[in-house]
Amino acid sequence: MRRYYFPIFHNGEAQTDQVGELFGAAELAVQHGARIARDIASDPDYDPGAGTIVIVVDGSGAEIERRGTFSGH
């Protein structure tokens, strides 16, 4: 199991993830990042113009994936 982190950028500001989550594979962490992005986008108070991005980062600090809530991917 490896630890992955999911910092979020919203309106030009970073929200760090100090705790992270354990996953057995990077693909599972990427799926979790996508789920976070979907959850943010489904919030009724969410502003789609905010340019929110969820980043998946591994324990060494390498970026694995970016998920933009505004772009639908």
Side-chain angles (χ1 to χ4, degrees):
M1 299 289 270
R2 295 187 64 182
R3 187 164 300 277
Y4 294 86
Y5 299 88
F6 305 90
I8 298 170
F9 289 92
H10 177 72
N11 278 334
E13 295 184 19
Q15 178 184 15
T16 60
D17 176 4
Q18 299 294 326
V19 178
E21 299 278 340
L22 292 173
F23 292 96
E27 295 81 19
L28 297 173
V30 167
Q31 291 173 9
H32 183 72
R35 191 172 320 115
I36 293 170
R38 281 192 307 272
D39 288 350
I40 291 170
S42 69
D43 184 324
D45 295 327
Y46 173 67
D47 174 10
T52 304
I53 299 172
V54 177
I55 301 174
V56 181
V57 178
D58 70 12
S60 69
E63 183 178 311
I64 305 296
E65 177 89 3
R66 285 180 177 239
R67 292 287 173 151
T69 59
F70 57 89
S71 61
H73 68 287

